[in-house]
Amino acid sequence: MVKKKSQKESFEPQILVFCCNWCSYAGADLAGVSRFQYPPNIRIVRVMCSGRVEPIFILNAFKNGIDGVLITGCHIGDCHYISGNEYAQVRMEHLKKLLKSLGIEEDRFRLHWISASEGKQFAELITDFTDSVKRLGESKIPKKLGLIELESC
Amino acid sequence: MSKKMHSSVLVVGGGISGIQASLDLTELGFKVYLVERKTTIGGTMAQLDKTFPTLDCSLCILAPKMVEVYRNPNIELLTYSYVKNIKGSHGDYTVKVIKKPRYVDSSRCKGCGDCSTICPVRGLPSEFNAHLSTHAAAHISFPSSVPPIYHIDDSKCLYLNYGICGLCAKNCSADAIDFTQKPENIELNVGAIIIATGYEQEYPEFYEKLEGSNPNVLSSMQFERLLSANGPTGGELMRLDDKKHPHSIAFLQCVGSRDFHHPECKKYCSSICCMSSAKQAIITKEHSPDTECFIFNTEIRAKGKNFYEFIVKSKEEYGVNYVNGRVSMVKENPDNGKLILYYEDINRGVVETKEVDMAVLASALFPNKAYYQFLDCLDVGHNELGYVNDEGIAACEEGYIYFTGYSRKPKDIPTAVAEGSACAARISEKLYPVRFQNIKEIEYPPEKPIMVDEDPRVGVLVCQCGINIAGTVDTADVVDYIASLPYVAHAEENMYSCSSDSQEQIKEMIKEHNLNRFIVASCTPRTHEPLFQNTLREAGLNPFLFELVNIRDQDSWVHQNEPEKATQKAKDLIRMYLGKVVNLRPLKKIKVPVEQACLVIGGGITGIVSAHNLANQGFDVYIVEKKASLGGNAIDFIDLYDISLHKRDILNYINDLKNNPNVHILTNSTIQDIYGFVGNYKVKVQSGDDNRNIEDFKVGTIIVATGTYQSQTERWKDAFEKHSNRVMTQNELENLEDTEIPGFNDATIILCVDQRADEFNQGDSVKTYCSNICCKVALKNIEKLLAVNPNAHIHVLYRELQFSDLNAETLWRELRRKVSFERYRSIDEILINSNKKHFHIKYNNIGAECEVEFNSDLIILATPAMPSRGTAELSKMLKVPTTKDGFFLEAHVKLRPIDFATDGIFLCGGAHWPKWIDESITQAYGAAGRAAMLMVKGEVETEGITSQVTPEKCIGCGRCAEICPYNAIEMVETIKQMGLYTITEKKAHIIDAVCKGCGACAAECPLGAIDQKHFSKFQIKKQIDLLTGIDLKACQKG
Ligand code: FES
């Protein structure tokens, strides 16, 4: 029993984070500039707007065995492209239901708004999210290694 | 007039207004010298946490503009500098600027902060944090400072003062510390000057009677910093002495302003404090809903678009308490450390006290010292309000010198932004013959074509950033790993990838290893991507064949104690981005031609001013006006009130327009149809009295200047019926000749009729907003009525007076002696009956706390200003949005007040929101300048990163077109012959010139028929695939 627990603790999840170029990516930068420390489990993919994120990307990530996915963007009303984050919100609500029906735990996926001045909040968010994914343990889907391929078209 | 004219402009002050003016000027073809007294640009706005009324994060929207200034090759940024003297006259000035030494070599400083970390001199008050925190002698104002360069405070530096220490120089691996720097004398030749020196606020200590030295009494700027996520407490709201959360906060309005008795007080209203306090109270409530907020005020002034509703929201949704009364004294309660406020409750007419944990002084804002030095420099004086006087402004403008932002008069951010654009437009009107003479266009070598079957050859440069990255991440290990990955032709590390010698190194690498893709792993693409992209262009590669991987801000700096994991993260990130880079395609920015003509919709003063400015800059202008003549509402006024423009000026402008062959005036005309996009709008106008002339023409840009009208009321209908000629709106009175006004001995002006609906103003046609202008129009009407009958008794029934204009306070105090201003609580309590002596009025007076009744012969009503009729139809035609009240909705409330989100269309004046004529004129110039920026080159460049449609997959559902915020997608119908059948097909088509590249459509398309260039489905999928690791064997090709 005891052993199992410590195994769980040493588990380092792999987490994918989408950041929009204008707010949350800047918030992540500010966390750095201010040296707010957070767990090194996340890998950020930069997109121009949270409205770019397609649900299929998240499914793809889980299919590859990634343990958690976090989508971040500007606060509602602050989107650089006016309403991109509103579309993201709608899509991700739908996606949540789908993930549930696929048996993927709710806590593995989150949508959160971070402004360019919220460096601290970004660090806190990552710490909190990493913790909650850690608590869930490894994703049930075995990890797959990727290939470097060229687009065929 | 063969006088010399310089194609350069001096902008003094790098706050938001100066930034806006500078950016616009370069687009209009002028070189800009931006001189800023501080070490960074950004001004006050950079210090704000959020902005009203949208609660936008201030720095989020400002920082991109600051970076834009920094990168603009045609803006020479002179920070930590001041203007010593100015000689010359319009078109030809010689300016002496002194650049103070930073003791840090700006070409070497990498902004890492190592100098500051080691500096032993601590405890200097931070100006950025309004003295709420301290910094070292070597420091940077705030993390996103522009330029991102440190500086050493020479008043405290040990080395500079005593020749000891010098630790920073030893600790700086970039060798950037230079103690030998001396003040530099710089001489500039410019054709015009913009003054945007901004404002200042006293620290609370200045207000002794308000216990200003108490640590829990803060100025409004200090409180702003306290709320701010990048402030002294990281956004945690606490008392600075005992670190406890305050349970009650008082905001004290009008501290040190609107006061004619005390010489140290300002005689005007600072114009923004009521809104700012409401905003701060709301943010406080969002931080901790239990904290009680009290705003002590004489009256709340919410001047701006839907600002009044913001105040109502603060009361109703957030429970902010407004106390009608001015605080005269604050004392600390020695028993519990709380603050006791002494004030008069105006509503109840009693002196009261209140205990709170914290007090915020919304104290007077005023031009800073630099401003007065500047006035001396220009040899112009100021008035008793402390602002440049009218003669001074006239003389300056004659000499192509313009004041903007707070240095012109108190105003909020959007007004300052519009004014910055306006100054640029006015200068462009003067200097247009010499435009583009000093503008740098960079020449690049021809681009190497990338063949479809050509394998990617990627170069990777890993930056050590001194020890900023290498101190945590094992960069050598990263390079080894990356070099082993497929398609990586070459990988190496270096000390500072962003330094200028590194750029040469990158070019060499590209040549030597025949690279066709490149990755730099260093800091953030938000600031550095353009630099490297530029290097790629110089090396003959398409700039989009590049990715910047952030292993500093998002890796080494945030995992300082976990070097192994940070190294692993760097490897993973570079690998993921490699997956993207090998699949990148070269992108082109296409140039689309722009018709050098502008359509101005509306022939009122705003339309006239816009048209006049554009015509003088050499553009074709079409003015379309519904009525039979130009001039609109304002031209009927007896004269324009409290602005520097006169009626004859407007008439002269109209004459100029009539005589200009490039101006086409279409009166009695309505727009039938507009279609197209930026640069290419086709317009159909129906004109002539009855003969139904149709005119078609093409324009590149459109300015909407449709103005407002004043509505009629249903209130007191029965009473008004009998003497209907004795009841009129304020506008109607203005339009009457003196002789046409029915005789009167007693006249009553009723303000806030059918507007500012809250608990006191109910009804179907009642507006929730405040029209902002009625109170000041009332002043003008009082003068008019008194001119007709100097002995008349005039009542002004009001709720709260909304004139926060510079002169309004003085004008009002003047008139208050001649007429009676009477405050009522609820419009429903005003009873009006008709009688033989015309009208009998009865209402409840606040202050006197009793019912007042009197007879009156004339009633003038301040009903709401409404968006001009036809606004809804026009908004459909232009495909631009309107607000719930029907006014046009600008692209961004704060920073793009006169643009629409749709490129090429602009708005000004009442079409945006009811406003005083001078502000309308400012917006008119601003809109003209923004339109000119697009037209001046005759072409616009599209974004490289746009969306693209695969027509075979598109089923024409139109979802993409529906959600595109920029109307960049049109559904094109094509007719197809399929055997016997003719079918019409709809396909989405992206208008590249309009697409902003957010990629929302790509995510929305249910069939995957749209993809975003540079962020394609495949590219992102590859990044995700490679996150977990790489199967190297499978990667090896057959
Ligand atoms: S740009 Fe940040 S969410 Fe749209």
Side-chain angles (χ1 to χ4, degrees):
Chain A
M1 261 314 258
V2 178
K3 209 173 182 188
K4 224 178 192 171
K5 201 179 167 196
S6 73
Q7 232 174 23
K8 220 174 189 180
E9 257 168 32
S10 68
F11 158 63
E12 291 296 345
Q14 284 181 311
I15 294 172
L16 170 67
V17 179
F18 284 99
C19 284
C20 83
N21 186 58
W22 304 98
C23 289
S24 54
Y25 196 92
D29 282 346
L30 185 64
V33 174
S34 326
R35 310 295 198 276
F36 296 129
Q37 306 292 300
Y38 55 78
N41 303 66
I42 61 156
R43 306 288 178 262
I44 293 178
V45 168
R46 180 173 67 108
V47 284
M48 294 313 279
C49 174
S50 65
R52 171 67 189 100
V53 181
E54 298 181 33
I56 187 89
F57 297 162
I58 294 106
L59 293 172
N60 216 328
F62 284 123
K63 202 181 93 205
N64 285 352
I66 289 171
D67 304 296
V69 182
L70 175 63
I71 299 178
T72 62
C74 315
H75 285 276
I76 293 294
D78 287 2
C79 172
H80 190 75
Y81 305 100
I82 304 166
S83 43
N85 48 7
E86 290 166 25
Y87 305 141
Q89 195 164 31
V90 175
R91 288 177 198 136
M92 298 314 147
E93 281 312 313
H94 287 303
L95 179 68
K96 268 186 196 159
K97 287 184 202 132
L98 181 61
L99 291 177
K100 202 169 175 193
S101 67
L102 291 173
I104 294 169
E105 297 93 328
E106 231 175 285
D107 286 351
R108 292 194 188 276
F109 173 69
R110 211 188 277 182
L111 176 68
H112 200 102
W113 309 134
I114 291 285
S115 83
S117 63
E118 293 177 335
K120 190 152 180 236
Q121 285 82 341
F122 183 84
E124 284 166 1
L125 169 69
I126 300 303
T127 312
D128 183 62
F129 187 65
T130 310
D131 279 353
S132 71
V133 176
K134 253 189 199 173
R135 252 176 272 128
L136 288 173
E138 209 163 330
S139 157
K140 314 269 172 331
I141 306 160
K143 287 202 196 316
K144 269 208 285 183
L145 296 183
L147 303 177
I148 297 189
E149 292 169 303
L150 296 182
E151 197 163 11
S152 43
C153 64
Chain B
M1 276 275 285
S2 61
K3 199 173 168 302
K4 178 138 184 60
M5 265 210 261
H6 294 285
S7 183
S8 310
V9 179
L10 169 71
V11 178
V12 188
I16 184 61
S17 197
I19 287 178
Q20 187 64 44
S22 303
L23 290 171
D24 283 10
L25 277 166
T26 58
E27 291 292 319
L28 288 166
F30 304 101
K31 176 173 177 119
V32 171
Y33 297 99
L34 178 54
V35 175
E36 166 62 50
R37 194 169 50 89
K38 297 193 184 154
T39 52
T40 173
I41 56 170
T44 311
M45 195 181 165
Q47 290 174 277
L48 301 182
D49 177 38
K50 297 218 164 87
T51 57
F52 57 78
T54 49
L55 300 179
D56 258 333
C57 151
S58 185
L59 197 59
C60 302
I61 52 179
L62 176 67
K65 286 215 178 219
M66 291 164 63
V67 175
E68 221 181 302
V69 167
Y70 188 46
R71 283 200 213 118
N72 192 316
N74 295 306
I75 298 179
E76 199 169 317
L77 190 53
L78 298 163
T79 48
Y80 207 37
S81 305
Y82 61 93
V83 174
K84 179 109 188 283
N85 67 46
I86 298 173
K87 295 219 158 61
S89 65
H90 62 283
D92 182 15
Y93 287 101
T94 308
V95 182
K96 224 184 225 123
V97 175
I98 310 285
K99 190 169 183 194
K100 295 193 274 182
R102 279 177 183 264
Y103 304 105
V104 173
D105 182 343
S106 47
S107 65
R108 285 169 175 266
C109 177
K110 304 290 180 278
C112 68
D114 289 348
C115 53
S116 182
T117 326
I118 201 148
C119 178
V121 184
R122 302 268 146 182
L124 309 185
S126 153
E127 206 180 322
F128 182 72
N129 273 335
H131 292 187
L132 293 187
S133 72
T134 59
H135 56 65
H139 72 281
I140 194 160
S141 182
F142 61 102
S144 337
S145 290
V146 166
I149 296 166
Y150 275 69
H151 117 268
I152 297 175
D153 186 332
D154 50 11
S155 68
K156 291 285 169 335
C157 170
L158 295 178
Y159 187 88
L160 289 167
N161 289 292
Y162 311 107
I164 50 169
C165 185
L167 278 175
C168 51
K170 288 184 205 109
N171 203 36
C172 178
S173 46
D175 254 342
I177 308 291
D178 178 3
F179 289 120
T180 65
Q181 280 185 359
K182 294 265 144 9
E184 251 177 272
N185 271 307
I186 298 169
E187 200 174 278
L188 309 170
N189 289 314
V190 296
I193 299 170
I194 293 178
I195 297 152
T197 47
Y199 71 75
E200 226 172 39
Q201 184 181 33
E202 297 285 6
Y203 282 101
E205 292 79 7
F206 182 80
Y207 302 102
E208 268 170 45
K209 276 178 89 182
L210 301 176
E211 193 80 16
S213 316
N214 187 301
N216 299 314
V217 177
L218 303 176
S219 71
S220 52
M221 180 48 89
Q222 288 181 321
F223 189 67
E224 191 82 30
R225 294 308 307 145
L226 195 61
L227 290 173
S228 190
N230 63 354
T233 58
E236 193 159 337
L237 183 54
M238 58 165 87
R239 290 174 27 124
L240 289 168
D241 54 352
D242 54 15
K243 308 274 177 264
K244 285 202 187 116
H245 291 276
H247 297 293
S248 53
I249 302 180
F251 296 84
L252 279 50
Q253 302 306 113
C254 302
V255 171
S257 47
R258 296 183 56 194
D259 188 329
F260 281 56
H261 307 299
H262 300 93
E264 73 278 14
C265 287
K266 306 296 168 199
K267 293 190 171 65
Y268 55 86
C269 162
S270 298
S271 168
I272 53 175
C273 328
C274 286
M275 284 302 286
S276 156
S277 291
K279 169 194 77 177
Q280 293 181 340
I282 288 180
I283 305 173
T284 304
K285 285 282 187 186
E286 283 182 346
H287 276 254
S288 69
D290 297 335
T291 304
E292 280 192 291
C293 292
F294 302 91
I295 298 185
F296 290 86
N297 63 85
T298 15
E299 60 207 346
I300 288 297
R301 292 183 172 175
K303 183 175 149 233
K305 195 169 186 173
N306 295 115
F307 283 7
Y308 180 69
E309 283 108 315
F310 184 77
I311 301 285
V312 173
K313 179 169 139 183
S314 74
K315 288 183 201 167
E316 288 174 1
E317 271 176 46
Y318 290 88
V320 175
N321 303 301
Y322 286 78
V323 184
N324 202 205
R326 204 160 164 158
V327 175
S328 54
M329 194 166 65
V330 179
K331 279 243 172 312
E332 187 182 320
N333 183 344
D335 298 337
N336 56 10
K338 290 186 176 221
L339 301 162
I340 312 171
L341 313 177
Y342 297 82
Y343 67 99
E344 187 202 345
D345 187 326
I346 299 179
N347 282 356
R348 296 190 294 130
V350 284
V351 176
E352 286 274 12
T353 59
K354 168 131 212 102
E355 247 185 29
V356 292
D357 291 334
M358 191 182 257
V360 178
L361 310 184
S363 57
L365 310 176
F366 48 87
N368 53 27
K369 269 193 222 86
Y371 173 81
Y372 295 105
Q373 285 164 3
F374 220 92
L375 295 189
D376 284 346
C377 234
L378 296 169
D379 200 21
V380 294
H382 59 81
N383 54 26
E384 53 158 10
L385 304 178
Y387 275 88
V388 55
N389 54 31
D390 288 348
E391 304 80 62
I393 288 195
C396 284
E397 291 187 354
E398 187 85 1
Y400 305 175
I401 299 174
Y402 300 92
F403 290 83
T404 177
Y406 221 90
S407 54
R408 175 71 182 80
K409 63 182 191 177
K411 59 174 63 73
D412 63 355
I413 293 169
T415 319
V417 169
E419 202 167 29
S421 293
C423 289
R426 297 184 73 181
I427 287 174
S428 185
E429 189 179 332
K430 306 292 184 199
L431 298 183
Y432 82 97
V434 294
R435 66 165 50 133
F436 290 119
Q437 286 186 0
N438 283 342
I439 286 287
K440 264 192 246 158
E441 291 285 355
I442 307 153
E443 293 279 331
Y444 293 101
E447 225 173 83
K448 210 161 66 176
I450 304 286
M451 300 302 159
V452 189
D453 54 353
E454 194 178 328
D455 263 352
R457 291 181 59 78
V458 185
V460 182
L461 183 62
V462 179
C463 179
Q464 299 166 340
C465 194
I467 56 159
N468 281 290
I469 294 173
T472 308
V473 171
D474 183 346
T475 43
D477 185 28
V478 172
V479 169
D480 283 347
Y481 171 73
I482 296 301
S484 72
L485 297 179
Y487 301 117
V488 176
H490 180 75
E492 63 179 74
E493 56 179 320
N494 78 350
M495 179 85 120
Y496 287 113
S497 302
C498 57
S499 62
S500 43
D501 51 317
S502 291
Q503 306 317 301
E504 295 309 311
Q505 192 187 345
I506 292 173
K507 284 189 238 169
E508 274 304 305
M509 277 165 75
I510 291 174
K511 218 161 75 207
E512 193 186 328
H513 301 279
N514 191 25
L515 305 175
N516 56 17
R517 305 278 195 292
F518 209 88
I519 292 178
V520 174
S522 62
C523 49
T524 174
R526 287 175 45 255
T527 51
H528 282 67
E529 193 177 51
L531 169 78
F532 295 115
Q533 284 188 319
N534 200 38
T535 309
L536 255 68
R537 283 183 84 179
E538 283 169 12
L541 276 186
N542 183 283
F544 291 95
L545 299 171
F546 172 79
E547 277 294 327
L548 185 54
V549 185
N550 192 337
I551 59 168
R552 188 183 75 174
D553 311 48
Q554 297 178 2
D555 188 8
S556 67
W557 276 354
V558 287
H559 314 306
Q560 284 171 320
N561 305 320
E562 295 168 288
E564 268 157 46
K565 286 178 181 167
T567 305
Q568 186 55 47
K569 182 172 175 179
K571 289 180 188 172
D572 290 353
L573 283 171
I574 301 174
R575 184 180 65 234
M576 287 163 70
Y577 277 86
L578 180 67
K580 178 178 181 185
V581 163
V582 295
N583 287 296
L584 288 177
R585 300 244 185 281
L587 298 182
K588 278 256 158 327
K589 294 197 173 186
I590 317 162
K591 296 202 163 141
V592 272
V594 172
E595 203 70 39
Q596 289 184 311
C598 179
L599 164 67
V600 177
I601 307 173
I605 289 201
T606 30
I608 293 168
V609 169
S610 289
H612 193 253
N613 178 271
L614 283 168
N616 283 352
Q617 291 191 58
F619 299 108
D620 279 3
V621 181
Y622 294 84
I623 311 176
V624 176
E625 166 60 44
K626 266 191 291 197
K627 295 202 195 121
S629 64
L630 298 184
N633 280 338
I635 206 66
D636 296 327
F637 291 7
I638 303 309
D639 204 344
L640 304 173
Y641 189 68
D642 187 33
I643 67 167
S644 50
L645 204 71
H646 294 280
K647 187 174 178 173
R648 63 175 137 68
D649 298 319
I650 303 294
L651 296 175
N652 284 342
Y653 278 16
I654 295 178
N655 254 337
D656 288 350
L657 292 175
K658 282 188 180 149
N659 295 329
N660 188 328
N662 296 335
V663 178
H664 313 266
I665 302 174
L666 305 168
T667 44
N668 277 328
S669 301
T670 46
I671 295 180
Q672 290 299 298
D673 199 10
I674 299 178
Y675 58 97
F677 51 87
V678 55
N680 287 288
Y681 286 105
K682 297 197 182 67
V683 187
K684 194 179 249 151
V685 172
Q686 185 176 321
S687 60
D689 301 327
D690 249 349
N691 42 12
R692 320 239 124 204
N693 277 340
I694 299 283
E695 251 189 270
D696 287 293
F697 51 89
K698 268 175 85 176
V699 294
T701 55
I702 298 170
I703 293 177
V704 178
T706 44
T708 59
Y709 77 96
Q710 213 185 342
S711 70
Q712 300 289 341
T713 183
E714 295 291 304
R715 228 171 257 279
W716 308 299
K717 223 172 163 193
D718 297 340
F720 289 169
E721 223 164 34
K722 244 201 197 148
H723 315 286
S724 59
N725 65 324
R726 295 182 164 275
V727 179
M728 57 194 79
T729 64
Q730 292 222 76
N731 258 349
E732 286 166 345
L733 174 64
E734 282 175 302
N735 292 350
L736 288 183
E737 293 289 337
D738 286 359
T739 49
E740 293 170 333
I741 301 174
F744 65 94
N745 287 317
D746 190 301
T748 305
I749 300 177
I750 306 176
L751 295 171
C752 302
V753 178
D754 292 351
Q755 39 187 338
R756 288 162 62 103
D758 45 23
E759 71 265 37
F760 300 139
N761 205 350
Q762 307 287 323
D764 285 343
S765 57
V766 172
K767 298 289 165 196
T768 54
Y769 60 82
C770 160
S771 299
N772 285 178
I773 49 172
C774 324
C775 293
K776 201 164 157 196
V777 174
L779 295 184
K780 172 173 157 37
N781 278 336
I782 293 169
E783 287 190 11
K784 178 168 176 143
L785 292 172
L786 285 176
V788 174
N789 180 359
N791 298 320
H793 190 178
I794 298 175
H795 309 259
V796 182
L797 302 189
Y798 75 100
R799 281 171 62 191
E800 276 175 312
L801 293 170
Q802 290 297 314
F803 28 69
S804 42
D805 237 20
L806 187 59
N807 295 326
E809 193 77 29
T810 323
L811 291 167
W812 167 62
R813 279 171 196 264
E814 204 53 35
L815 288 173
R816 194 167 60 165
R817 287 193 253 139
K818 300 182 196 154
V819 305
S820 49
F821 280 87
E822 303 166 32
R823 191 165 184 184
Y824 70 86
R825 188 183 312 271
S826 160
I827 194 120
D828 294 334
E829 289 173 10
I830 302 181
L831 304 175
I832 304 180
N833 287 305
S834 60
N835 60 15
K836 272 207 213 85
K837 280 215 71 208
H838 307 122
F839 304 106
H840 178 80
I841 301 177
K842 193 157 109 184
Y843 78 101
N844 250 322
N845 185 295
I846 300 187
E849 288 308 317
C850 65
E851 220 160 58
V852 173
E853 45 189 310
F854 56 89
N855 286 324
S856 202
D857 311 314
L858 200 60
I859 294 183
I860 295 113
L861 303 168
T863 48
M866 311 268 279
S868 128
R869 295 179 185 89
T871 297
E873 293 75 39
L874 187 59
S875 83
K876 278 203 197 87
M877 241 186 271
L878 294 168
K879 299 204 201 76
V880 295
T882 52
T883 65
K884 69 172 183 7
D885 302 310
F887 290 97
F888 283 104
L889 180 63
E890 62 275 35
H892 189 277
V893 177
K894 272 309 192 202
L895 293 189
R896 293 182 66 194
I898 44 181
D899 300 357
F900 279 108
T902 312
D903 276 346
I905 313 182
F906 307 90
L907 76 165
C908 54
H912 164 263
W913 187 248
K915 53 177 67 67
W916 202 246
I917 300 167
D918 59 345
E919 256 174 62
S920 290
I921 290 174
T922 303
Q923 286 198 332
Y925 276 119
R930 305 285 294 164
M933 279 164 56
L934 283 175
M935 298 190 288
V936 67
K937 288 195 193 122
E939 56 183 21
V940 282
E941 217 174 45
T942 62
E943 302 275 337
I945 300 173
T946 52
S947 286
Q948 58 186 7
V949 182
T950 311
E952 299 76 46
K953 288 192 191 163
C954 175
I955 53 160
C957 71
R959 282 292 298 139
C960 51
E962 234 166 77
I963 66 156
C964 176
Y966 303 101
N967 299 317
I969 304 181
E970 49 184 6
M971 301 307 293
V972 183
E973 265 185 39
T974 48
I975 298 173
K976 241 190 181 175
Q977 203 65 40
M978 279 189 74
L980 289 175
Y981 304 102
T982 323
I983 43 173
T984 45
E985 265 190 341
K986 263 194 186 167
K987 299 274 180 199
H989 172 249
I990 313 268
I991 309 164
D992 272 340
V994 187
C995 177
K996 292 265 172 277
C998 64
C1001 52
E1004 189 71 16
C1005 179
L1007 285 118
I1010 305 190
D1011 213 346
Q1012 188 188 7
K1013 296 178 194 163
H1014 213 69
F1015 291 91
S1016 77
K1017 296 177 202 302
F1018 191 81
Q1019 288 159 0
I1020 296 177
K1021 179 175 181 302
K1022 277 293 107 189
Q1023 282 179 286
I1024 298 170
D1025 281 353
L1026 286 159
L1027 191 153
T1028 43
I1030 184 167
D1031 186 346
L1032 272 178
K1033 270 204 209 99
C1035 280
Q1036 240 92 65
K1037 280 198 292 179

